[in-house]
Amino acid sequence: MGNLTLSIDGTNVELESGRSFTSVLAGLSIGNKEKILGLYIDGTLYDLHQPIGTGGTVRLVYADTDEGLGILRHSTSHIMAQAVRHLFPDVKLAIGPSIKDGYYYDFDFTEPISSHDLERIEEEMYKIVEEDQRFERFTKPREEALQLFKKENEPYKVELIEDLPDERELSFYKNGDFVDLCRGPHIPSTGYAKALKLLSIAGAYWRGDERNPMLTRIYGTSFFNAKPLKGYLNRIEEAKRRDHRKLGKQLELFSFHEEGPGFAFWLPKGMVLKNKLMEFWREEHEKAGYVEVQTPIILKKDLWVQSGHWENYRENMYTTEIDGTPFAIKPMNCPGGMLIYKEKIHSYRDFPMRVGEVGLVHRHEKSGVLHGLFRVRSFTQDDAHIFMLPSQIKEEIIRVIRLTERIYSVFGFSYHLELSTRPDKSIGTDEMWELATGGLEEALTEIGIEYEISPKEGAFYGPKIDFHLEDCLGRLHQCATIQLDMSFPERFDLTYIDQDGSEKRPVVIHRTVLGSLERFIGILIEHYAGRFPLWLAPVQIVVLPITRDHSEHASFVYERLKSESFRVELDDRNEKLGYKMREAEVAKVPYIVVIGAKEIEASTVSVRKSGKKDLGSMKLDELVSLMEDEITARSRPDELK
RNA sequence: GCCCACAUAGCUCAGUCGGUAGAGCACGUCAUUGGUAAUGACGAGGUCACCGGUUCAAUUCCGGUUGUGGGCUCCA
């Protein structure tokens, strides 16, 4: 048995082949040894108890890193499965990976369980943690492993092994009385999982395919100690507090009704948000050289057959009939836009033609996926189609990216980009797809912006670049999308007359910036926690007289503010100041003005900025110009002093 | 669509191990004229989501429907 050489931080350490890293750890002069969970040797991950067979350069994995947390959570999923097995001996095991903020494990229970069972599973888990069981790794030949799981009646494990490549070594991990097929690595022992919490229970199809059996998935999270767990649970609470469905009701922005599942009703205050947002959108698009059109919501089925929607998007479309002829309700604006283009002959000189359409589209979503404003069946898309020469592709895509960046910057979002490639269900030739995908890539490279690739996620008619917005809680939402389309021009026989007098095909970009107005507003509500910037706030200012004696003057102030086009309310109800003040604060009105004897005497108003910032007294004119500046600049609350 | 859970006053929620229900806020009336996050009293308001079944009796138990919530390919 020969010696191996491990290079750790430039120092060489000798290790006998087949021994684990633990055997040399004691002799090493490095700090934080108790936080080491595993190690990479030339890129291969080992846990501490695993026999090591090759030497190389070592990178240690510590507990207080994302990688370390991932290992912990994966191990915690084993602990959960073990606890579940103790309580429900007949359960069959599927898979249990670590995910972004925790882990899950999928089970096939003989009897359904409910969220009430989570508590006792968690108790059982803590027992296992207290026993501080060692995670031990071993391997088995394929046949033996298959026999084992067949004997133990674990059909999902059998299927997993059968799908693994023949040459793959099958590793197992054992802790206490629990053994699971597992690639590893794991924490050295169960005692490392000091802080854990089961979060929810849900159904999940085996391997995510709805044709497969529905399993029961239990979600949980874990940390190395209690403090970050508490922080994580607080973050969940904060997210609940900001939930747009809750705030939307509380602030009277929109509502949903049983009579229209997935269809939002916009209330007067929500309409202000919608309209102000569109006002801003139109300003920016006009500056960027767009014109605007509007096409009908219902169009003949034949059109959707021609566009390919009937074949590729049928299951998401609502249909109807007019005078015996089948019609469909538009799920997208493009076919209508194509008809407008075809209405006259175009010259290459017309290009690029940037044609916007703020269109109401309807898409059938499965009942189970509806979610507030984020996932609806009817939404307003801030669409546009850009008709152009193939040579203008790169330039136009760059312009769209720049426009999107400009609009997003006003809201203070951060975001990342994704390039989605050809899906399985699609129209067009391979050549078109390559050309189109290449065009998008080229634009991204030229602009020097980072992006990820998401394979097979493109639209059926072309590849796309998506903007994923990150809200202040770090959650991602897809909004803007830029899709390059070389199929519709073909299908709709779009042409232009080129310089040499010949007829040619234009290229089309489909793009949105906000994506869905509904979803975007949902994100805004959560991003601002309902405390909107002044330019968007449904009510910008409320005037509070202290007593009835001050009502007349308050009414004068109110009229003046109204004449300056502010969205202002006068609250001269017969209530105490504190009461009305509280109500204005709860309604998150940005400015609160108090009128009493002192203010009437000095011809001033007493101004309070929502969020307890008392600005003191000032002349009404001062307040007007202060607010005007804030609105014109479209300042965000976090930009103000 | 599928799995699990939930549905009680305008809102947020109690409650009934089967005998037709309660609080706070909001709303109305009255009193109070109060200086920066809730003045007090009184009052009105509910076929306990809908449709069936079991029962002397169902808001409660059972089944169905509708809606809502958490999820449904991040490779053992």
Side-chain angles (χ1 to χ4, degrees), chain A residues 219-239:
Chain A
Y219 284 92
T221 192
S222 60
F223 293 88
F224 290 102
N225 52 65
K227 207 176 161 188
L229 173 63
K230 209 176 156 197
Y232 173 73
L233 295 175
N234 283 343
R235 264 207 339 244
I236 294 180
E237 285 307 307
E238 174 68 9

Side-chain angles (χ1 to χ4, degrees), chain A residues 385-400:
Chain A
H385 298 106
I386 303 173
F387 303 88
M388 62 198 171
L389 306 171
S391 61
Q392 292 169 325
I393 292 176
K394 193 173 75 183
E395 165 74 15
E396 281 307 304
I397 286 174
I398 290 171
R399 279 171 178 273
V400 174

Side-chain angles (χ1 to χ4, degrees), chain A residues 259-364:
Chain A
E259 291 80 354
F263 300 105
F265 288 60
W266 286 95
L267 305 178
K269 284 178 180 165
M271 279 310 291
V272 173
L273 288 179
K274 233 183 159 180
N275 290 334
K276 288 292 145 184
L277 202 53
M278 281 323 300
E279 204 175 273
F280 169 53
W281 186 93
R282 291 200 162 97
E283 263 174 44
E284 289 298 328
H285 280 72
E286 202 171 319
K287 278 191 267 178
Y290 284 75
V291 293
E292 193 178 338
V293 299
Q294 193 166 70
T295 66
I297 287 176
I298 305 178
L299 292 163
K300 272 188 191 166
K301 175 194 154 185
D302 304 13
L303 177 73
W304 304 103
V305 172
Q306 189 183 2
S307 68
H309 284 86
W310 201 255
E311 196 189 334
N312 293 282
Y313 208 72
R314 173 85 183 84
E315 62 212 25
N316 289 301
M317 289 168 67
Y318 296 115
T319 54
T320 184
E321 203 184 85
I322 299 178
D323 292 341
T325 306
F327 277 69
I329 299 162
K330 70 175 176 186
M332 297 185 196
N333 300 305
C334 24
M338 300 300 132
L339 295 184
I340 291 183
Y341 177 88
K342 276 172 74 80
E343 207 173 28
K344 63 179 209 177
I345 292 177
H346 295 279
S347 153
Y348 71 96
R349 294 173 191 275
D350 298 340
F351 293 158
M353 278 173 61
R354 307 186 188 98
V355 186
E357 169 165 17
V358 182
L360 181 64
V361 297
H362 289 72
R363 296 181 183 177
H364 180 70

Side-chain angles (χ1 to χ4, degrees), chain A residues 404-445:
Chain A
T404 307
E405 287 180 325
R406 185 160 60 249
I407 291 176
Y408 284 5
S409 68
V410 168
F411 302 100
F413 287 126
S414 53
Y415 48 84
H416 78 269
L417 277 69
E418 260 176 37
L419 175 65
S420 301
T421 58
R422 186 174 191 174
D424 292 329
K425 222 177 170 185
S426 61
I427 56 177
T429 63
D430 293 353
E431 195 192 352
M432 275 180 186
W433 276 89
E434 270 165 41
L435 211 69
T437 311
L440 293 180
E441 270 175 334
E442 219 178 289
L444 286 168
T445 309

Side-chain angles (χ1 to χ4, degrees), chain A residues 21 52 110 125 178 340 590:
Chain A
F21 190 71
I52 290 170
T110 46
M125 289 172 74
F178 185 74
I340 291 183

Side-chain angles (χ1 to χ4, degrees), chain A residues 64-271:
Chain A
D64 44 13
T65 59
D66 286 348
E67 220 169 8
L69 268 180
I71 292 174
L72 170 73
R73 285 160 178 176
H74 180 200
S75 300
T76 318
S77 85
H78 278 230
I79 297 173
M80 176 168 74
Q82 187 179 7
V84 167
R85 167 60 57 70
H86 287 173
L87 299 171
F88 307 90
D90 295 334
V91 75
K92 293 179 181 38
L93 306 179
I95 59 167
S98 73
I99 51 172
K100 187 163 166 273
D101 282 314
Y103 61 89
Y104 65 80
Y105 210 110
D106 285 347
F107 303 96
D108 192 349
F109 286 95
T110 46
E111 295 288 322
I113 69 157
S114 78
S115 54
H116 309 296
D117 295 306
L118 293 184
E119 205 171 313
R120 60 195 184 110
I121 296 172
E122 205 173 284
E123 272 170 33
E124 186 65 25
M125 289 172 74
Y126 270 113
K127 276 187 211 161
I128 296 165
V129 170
E130 263 165 46
E131 286 171 17
D132 198 21
Q133 302 165 357
R134 237 171 94 116
F135 275 98
E136 291 178 73
R137 183 180 189 275
F138 60 92
T139 59
K140 265 188 191 299
R142 193 183 170 88
E143 267 317 304
E144 218 176 289
L146 279 172
Q147 287 313 317
L148 174 77
F149 282 127
K150 277 178 185 163
K151 198 183 92 202
E152 291 189 357
N153 196 17
E154 290 285 8
Y156 303 103
K157 297 292 180 191
V158 170
E159 200 180 318
L160 286 171
I161 293 175
E162 281 170 347
D163 286 355
L164 287 173
D166 288 351
E167 66 280 8
R168 179 84 77 87
E169 182 182 60
L170 295 179
S171 59
F172 290 76
Y173 276 82
K174 178 179 189 305
N175 62 295
D177 58 355
F178 185 74
V179 178
D180 198 0
L181 172 72
C182 181
R183 190 177 52 186
H186 280 284
I187 48 178
S189 64
T190 59
Y192 279 70
K194 288 209 167 37
L196 51 88
K197 179 87 188 157
L198 294 184
L199 298 170
S200 63
I201 184 164
Y205 297 106
W206 168 235
R207 302 195 146 177
D209 189 328
E210 62 187 18
R211 288 164 302 191
N212 285 339
M214 174 68 71
L215 305 176
T216 303
R217 174 171 296 180
I218 301 178
Y219 284 92
T221 192
S222 60
F223 293 88
F224 290 102
N225 52 65
K227 207 176 161 188
L229 173 63
K230 209 176 156 197
Y232 173 73
L233 295 175
N234 283 343
R235 264 207 339 244
I236 294 180
E237 285 307 307
E238 174 68 9
K240 277 189 194 155
R241 206 175 63 75
R242 288 171 176 255
D243 191 317
H244 76 277
R245 293 167 300 183
K246 194 179 156 167
L247 286 170
K249 182 177 261 187
Q250 194 187 317
L251 301 176
E252 297 177 351
L253 302 174
F254 58 86
S255 61
F256 282 94
H257 300 269
E258 196 172 325
E259 291 80 354
F263 300 105
F265 288 60
W266 286 95
L267 305 178
K269 284 178 180 165
M271 279 310 291

